[in-house]
Amino acid sequence: MKTTKTIFQDGGHKWVAIVRDPEKPNYLIDTNEYLVAYGDQGLLLDPGGAEIFPAVFSALSAEFDPSALAGIFASHQDPDTVSSLALWLEFNPAMRCYVSWLWSGFIPHFGGTAETLVAIPDEGMDIALAGLILKAVPAHYLHSSGNFHLYDKVAKILFSGDVGAALLPPGQDGLFVENFDAHIRHAEAFHKRWMGSNEAKRRWCERVAHLDIDMLCPQHGAIYRGADVQRFINWFDEIQVGGVVNA
Amino acid sequence: MSASLFPLATGRPPAGVDLLRIVRINEQIKRVVGVSFKINIMALNAIFLAKRAGTAARGFGVLSNELRVFSQDLRTCMESLTRLIHACVNEVSVVLQNNRQMRLLGKAAELAPRQPALIAVRQRRSRADEEHAQQLGRLRRQLKRALEDAFQMVELGGVLAKSAKIEAAYGQSHAAALSQVSGEFDEVVEEIRAALESLRRSPFFAGS
């Protein structure tokens, strides 16, 4: 079963990471899910694939009533990101799924209807959660052509989808990055192959460098915090991504 | 092999097995449709042949025309079978998807046993699953009835083909040619009968 870790709390404003299931089959990539709770509402970020729904659901329900989820934020369209959508909608069919307009005709293949989907325009948008304003930040081509991250300026947390992701070996899968140089080795190949455009990467680095970020939370791997956030942005800015694959 | 191919506690055939059976039925239906098209062409040729043979083949001409009508009726009947097959595929697909989702919800219930929302969702899903099973049962019975209708139609086609054989004997100088055509009619109708017989024996119809 996955475990929950509260990574930020200020009264009723909370960020909960749902992570690390020791019983997860090895053939499924490990994913991090995040809950943003504010007042009596909750937004689940990249809720994960259908096969890991039981583990995510049970962990989440220890912290939050799943039927009170107001919405789901999908950074992009991948199955490990949001193929559990139909199962979450069982608990609250009125729930909304925020996703790039580019994928609004694709995501309903996982579940939901036209009413379920809120299409985020390319420039991003504000998402209101019981009075808390969250910002959908453009991250197109990193690694999907329609891609968004989610910024909470009050908590100073950026949910960064696949940016910052690392495929961690067993035994080195702590929740936070403790040794940046050792950690980033596990992120390098992933970023070089999965990120599509150096230009897009550069624009993203410039954009997020202006944000006040205490924690950068990826969908896979460990969370960057404190000085490691800027360290990661600098590292990412310098690597070459989207190279041609010899096939 | 997916878990849904294994027998379930409900006593119903597993949805994956049903889907395979439906695919096989559909293949047979396509075969019958192809053969009935062949009868239509054969009947048209037979009508021209009967016209050339004149008065001696008048009865043969009437029967050839009847066989042409039979071919068209059979195709219409097969179209309705195809529509029913599509409806069955839809229902079975929904059941297959539900099975997967019920399995995942079941696992979630094991991990979070005291979640009232989860209990409610699973009960709702069970009811929906039961409704889909009933709908599939109705479609199964409709398909069986439509198949019996088609079989009756083919029995009539067989009588027409055999009558054409008799009429061919009165075709005087054209008797040999007419006999060959009527023999082909008989073979084709028998082929359809065999295909429909095998469809009637499909274990798909044994389900509730």
Short mmCIF file of all heavy atoms in Angstrom, two decimals, chain A residues 8 35 37 55 59 62 86 96 98 105 110 130 134 149 151-152 158 167 177 194-195 212 216 221 225 228:
data_model
loop_
_atom_site.label_atom_id
_atom_site.label_comp_id
_atom_site.label_asym_id
_atom_site.label_seq_id
_atom_site.Cartn_x
_atom_site.Cartn_y
_atom_site.Cartn_z
N PHE A 8 3.30 19.89 3.24
CA PHE A 8 3.04 21.29 3.60
C PHE A 8 1.71 21.34 4.35
O PHE A 8 0.75 20.68 3.95
CB PHE A 8 2.98 22.17 2.35
CG PHE A 8 2.45 23.56 2.63
CD1 PHE A 8 3.32 24.57 3.04
CD2 PHE A 8 1.09 23.86 2.51
CE1 PHE A 8 2.84 25.85 3.32
CE2 PHE A 8 0.61 25.13 2.80
CZ PHE A 8 1.48 26.12 3.20
N LEU A 35 -2.11 15.39 -3.30
CA LEU A 35 -3.42 15.97 -2.98
C LEU A 35 -3.18 17.39 -2.48
O LEU A 35 -2.35 17.60 -1.58
CB LEU A 35 -4.10 15.16 -1.88
CG LEU A 35 -5.34 15.82 -1.26
CD1 LEU A 35 -6.53 15.74 -2.22
CD2 LEU A 35 -5.71 15.18 0.07
N ALA A 37 -5.28 20.02 -0.52
CA ALA A 37 -6.53 20.17 0.22
C ALA A 37 -6.62 21.61 0.71
O ALA A 37 -5.62 22.18 1.19
CB ALA A 37 -6.58 19.21 1.40
N ALA A 55 -4.26 1.23 -4.53
CA ALA A 55 -3.22 1.70 -3.59
C ALA A 55 -3.36 3.20 -3.32
O ALA A 55 -3.23 3.66 -2.18
CB ALA A 55 -1.84 1.38 -4.15
N ALA A 59 -4.69 4.88 0.32
CA ALA A 59 -3.80 5.83 1.02
C ALA A 59 -4.49 7.19 1.17
O ALA A 59 -4.49 7.79 2.24
CB ALA A 59 -2.49 5.96 0.26
N ALA A 62 -7.29 7.62 3.83
CA ALA A 62 -6.88 7.77 5.23
C ALA A 62 -6.76 9.25 5.60
O ALA A 62 -6.82 9.62 6.77
CB ALA A 62 -5.56 7.06 5.46
N ALA A 86 -11.83 7.22 -14.73
CA ALA A 86 -13.20 6.67 -14.65
C ALA A 86 -13.50 6.19 -13.23
O ALA A 86 -14.62 6.33 -12.74
CB ALA A 86 -13.36 5.52 -15.63
N ARG A 96 -14.25 17.59 -11.81
CA ARG A 96 -13.71 18.11 -13.08
C ARG A 96 -12.27 17.66 -13.26
O ARG A 96 -11.52 17.52 -12.29
CB ARG A 96 -13.78 19.64 -13.10
CG ARG A 96 -15.20 20.18 -13.10
CD ARG A 96 -15.87 19.88 -14.46
NE ARG A 96 -17.26 20.28 -14.52
CZ ARG A 96 -18.29 19.44 -14.40
NH1 ARG A 96 -18.09 18.16 -14.19
NH2 ARG A 96 -19.54 19.87 -14.51
N TYR A 98 -8.88 18.82 -15.07
CA TYR A 98 -8.19 19.92 -15.75
C TYR A 98 -7.04 19.34 -16.56
O TYR A 98 -6.17 18.66 -16.01
CB TYR A 98 -7.65 20.92 -14.72
CG TYR A 98 -8.74 21.57 -13.91
CD1 TYR A 98 -9.20 20.98 -12.73
CD2 TYR A 98 -9.32 22.77 -14.32
CE1 TYR A 98 -10.20 21.57 -11.98
CE2 TYR A 98 -10.33 23.36 -13.58
CZ TYR A 98 -10.77 22.76 -12.42
OH TYR A 98 -11.78 23.34 -11.69
N GLY A 105 -9.96 15.78 -26.05
CA GLY A 105 -10.69 14.77 -26.82
C GLY A 105 -10.11 13.38 -26.64
O GLY A 105 -10.69 12.39 -27.11
N PHE A 110 -10.30 7.45 -21.39
CA PHE A 110 -10.07 6.84 -20.08
C PHE A 110 -11.35 6.88 -19.24
O PHE A 110 -11.53 6.06 -18.34
CB PHE A 110 -8.99 7.60 -19.29
CG PHE A 110 -7.60 7.48 -19.84
CD1 PHE A 110 -6.74 8.57 -19.84
CD2 PHE A 110 -7.13 6.27 -20.33
CE1 PHE A 110 -5.44 8.46 -20.32
CE2 PHE A 110 -5.84 6.15 -20.82
CZ PHE A 110 -5.00 7.25 -20.81
N ALA A 130 -11.76 26.20 -3.48
CA ALA A 130 -12.35 26.75 -2.26
C ALA A 130 -11.66 28.04 -1.81
O ALA A 130 -11.35 28.22 -0.64
CB ALA A 130 -12.31 25.71 -1.14
N LEU A 134 -4.74 28.29 -7.65
CA LEU A 134 -3.58 27.53 -8.12
C LEU A 134 -3.37 27.90 -9.59
O LEU A 134 -4.33 28.15 -10.32
CB LEU A 134 -3.86 26.03 -8.00
CG LEU A 134 -4.12 25.54 -6.57
CD1 LEU A 134 -4.85 24.20 -6.57
CD2 LEU A 134 -2.81 25.43 -5.80
N HIS A 149 2.19 22.34 -15.53
CA HIS A 149 2.57 22.11 -14.13
C HIS A 149 1.63 22.95 -13.28
O HIS A 149 0.89 23.79 -13.81
CB HIS A 149 4.03 22.51 -13.92
CG HIS A 149 4.98 21.65 -14.71
ND1 HIS A 149 6.28 21.98 -14.97
CD2 HIS A 149 4.77 20.46 -15.34
CE1 HIS A 149 6.85 21.03 -15.70
NE2 HIS A 149 5.94 20.10 -15.94
N TYR A 151 1.23 25.43 -9.89
CA TYR A 151 1.98 26.22 -8.90
C TYR A 151 1.03 26.75 -7.82
O TYR A 151 -0.02 27.32 -8.13
CB TYR A 151 2.69 27.39 -9.60
CG TYR A 151 3.47 28.28 -8.66
CD1 TYR A 151 4.49 27.77 -7.86
CD2 TYR A 151 3.19 29.64 -8.57
CE1 TYR A 151 5.21 28.59 -7.00
CE2 TYR A 151 3.90 30.48 -7.71
CZ TYR A 151 4.91 29.93 -6.93
OH TYR A 151 5.62 30.74 -6.07
N ASP A 152 1.45 26.54 -6.59
CA ASP A 152 0.71 27.07 -5.45
C ASP A 152 1.61 28.13 -4.81
O ASP A 152 2.61 27.80 -4.15
CB ASP A 152 0.43 25.91 -4.47
CG ASP A 152 -0.32 26.35 -3.21
OD1 ASP A 152 -0.35 27.57 -2.93
OD2 ASP A 152 -0.84 25.46 -2.50
N LEU A 158 5.73 23.79 -6.55
CA LEU A 158 5.45 23.58 -7.97
C LEU A 158 5.36 22.08 -8.21
O LEU A 158 6.34 21.35 -8.01
CB LEU A 158 6.57 24.18 -8.84
CG LEU A 158 6.39 23.96 -10.36
CD1 LEU A 158 5.21 24.77 -10.90
CD2 LEU A 158 7.65 24.31 -11.13
N LEU A 167 14.23 7.92 -12.06
CA LEU A 167 13.90 6.51 -11.87
C LEU A 167 14.89 5.97 -10.84
O LEU A 167 16.04 5.70 -11.15
CB LEU A 167 14.00 5.77 -13.20
CG LEU A 167 13.14 6.40 -14.32
CD1 LEU A 167 13.38 5.72 -15.65
CD2 LEU A 167 11.65 6.37 -13.97
N VAL A 177 15.08 14.65 -2.15
CA VAL A 177 16.46 14.56 -2.65
C VAL A 177 17.38 14.97 -1.50
O VAL A 177 17.23 16.05 -0.94
CB VAL A 177 16.65 15.51 -3.87
CG1 VAL A 177 18.11 15.53 -4.30
CG2 VAL A 177 15.75 15.09 -5.02
N TRP A 194 13.02 11.89 -22.74
CA TRP A 194 11.59 12.18 -22.67
C TRP A 194 11.23 13.64 -22.93
O TRP A 194 10.06 13.96 -23.17
CB TRP A 194 11.03 11.76 -21.31
CG TRP A 194 10.92 10.28 -21.16
CD1 TRP A 194 11.80 9.47 -20.50
CD2 TRP A 194 9.92 9.42 -21.69
NE1 TRP A 194 11.40 8.17 -20.59
CE2 TRP A 194 10.24 8.11 -21.32
CE3 TRP A 194 8.77 9.65 -22.46
CZ2 TRP A 194 9.47 7.01 -21.68
CZ3 TRP A 194 7.99 8.55 -22.80
CH2 TRP A 194 8.34 7.26 -22.42
N MET A 195 12.16 14.53 -22.83
CA MET A 195 11.85 15.94 -23.08
C MET A 195 12.11 16.24 -24.56
O MET A 195 13.18 15.89 -25.08
CB MET A 195 12.71 16.86 -22.20
CG MET A 195 12.59 16.55 -20.72
SD MET A 195 10.89 16.76 -20.13
CE MET A 195 10.87 15.68 -18.72
N ASP A 212 8.60 31.78 -6.83
CA ASP A 212 9.15 31.53 -5.50
C ASP A 212 8.79 30.07 -5.14
O ASP A 212 7.62 29.76 -4.86
CB ASP A 212 8.49 32.52 -4.52
CG ASP A 212 9.15 32.47 -3.16
OD1 ASP A 212 10.16 31.76 -3.01
OD2 ASP A 212 8.65 33.16 -2.24
N LEU A 216 9.86 21.43 -5.40
CA LEU A 216 9.53 21.06 -6.78
C LEU A 216 9.20 19.57 -6.75
O LEU A 216 10.05 18.74 -6.41
CB LEU A 216 10.71 21.36 -7.70
CG LEU A 216 10.45 21.21 -9.19
CD1 LEU A 216 11.11 22.35 -9.97
CD2 LEU A 216 10.96 19.89 -9.73
N GLY A 221 9.92 9.76 -8.71
CA GLY A 221 11.17 10.03 -8.01
C GLY A 221 10.99 10.87 -6.76
O GLY A 221 9.96 10.79 -6.09
N ARG A 225 13.89 20.22 -2.72
CA ARG A 225 13.47 21.30 -1.81
C ARG A 225 14.65 22.23 -1.53
O ARG A 225 15.82 21.84 -1.70
CB ARG A 225 12.89 20.73 -0.52
CG ARG A 225 13.84 19.84 0.22
CD ARG A 225 13.18 19.27 1.47
NE ARG A 225 14.01 18.24 2.05
CZ ARG A 225 13.75 17.58 3.14
NH1 ARG A 225 12.65 17.83 3.82
NH2 ARG A 225 14.56 16.66 3.60
N ASP A 228 18.07 22.91 -3.66
CA ASP A 228 18.07 21.91 -4.73
C ASP A 228 17.09 22.27 -5.85
O ASP A 228 17.23 21.77 -6.97
CB ASP A 228 17.73 20.52 -4.17
CG ASP A 228 18.93 19.87 -3.48
OD1 ASP A 228 20.07 20.31 -3.76
OD2 ASP A 228 18.73 18.95 -2.68
#
